[in-house]
Amino acid sequence: MLSWFQCCISTVRWGNALSSLFIIRAGVPQCGLLSPLLFAVYRDVLIIRLRESGYGCKFLQQYFGCILYADDISLLFHSVNTMHSVLKICEQFAADFDVKFNTMQSMVMRTGDRF
C-alpha cells in the first residue's frame, strides 16, 4: 500500500491539453478505489477531537457539531466564543496532519432573533 502512494504519477488535463507527467508526493489519489475510505479514516481524527471537546451542537444526545460531505465541512456551534475554540481545534489538527483549510472558500453565518 505504501508503494501505491509513493508511486503515483499523474498529469493535469485542461481542455484538450495535457501537462507533462509529475509525481504526487502527498494526498490521496482521487480515482483510487481505497481513496474514499482512507480519506474518511484521516478526517475521523478531526471529528473525534471535535466531539470529545464538548463544543458544538447536540440533538437527542447525538453530536452534530460538524457535518461532512466529501471534503467539505460545516461546523455548528452556539456562540462566538465556542467558534474560536472549535477553530483552534481545527488549527491544531491542520498542524498535526499538514492540512490546509481553504480560507478563501470559508464563511461564517450567524442566525437567531438578532441576526
Side-chain angles (χ1 to χ4, degrees), residues 19 22 25 34 37 39 43 48 54 62 64 91:
S19 71
F22 61 92
R25 300 192 187 278
L34 290 176
L37 175 64
F39 186 71
R43 71 169 185 215
I48 290 166
Q62 293 294 314
F64 289 94
E91 183 179 40

Side-chain angles (χ1 to χ4, degrees), residues 11-97:
T11 62
V12 174
R13 178 189 306 255
W14 188 343
N16 293 327
L18 283 176
S19 71
S20 56
L21 293 172
F22 61 92
I23 297 173
I24 300 173
R25 300 192 187 278
V28 176
Q30 291 184 349
C31 59
L33 293 175
L34 290 176
S35 296
L37 175 64
L38 293 172
F39 186 71
V41 169
Y42 180 72
R43 71 169 185 215
D44 274 354
V45 175
L46 177 59
I47 297 169
I48 290 166
R49 286 183 184 187
L50 291 170
R51 184 178 56 223
E52 288 178 351
S53 74
Y55 299 122
C57 294
K58 292 179 184 161
F59 180 71
L60 298 176
Q61 303 302 344
Q62 293 294 314
Y63 180 72
F64 289 94
C66 61
I67 299 172
L68 295 109
Y69 181 78
D71 63 347
D72 294 324
I73 182 170
S74 293
L75 301 171
L76 307 172
F77 31 81
H78 67 279
S79 72
V80 174
N81 288 337
T82 302
M83 176 182 71
H84 289 293
S85 299
V86 167
L87 292 177
K88 283 184 186 278
I89 294 167
C90 292
E91 183 179 40
Q92 186 61 54
F93 171 82
D96 292 346
F97 291 93

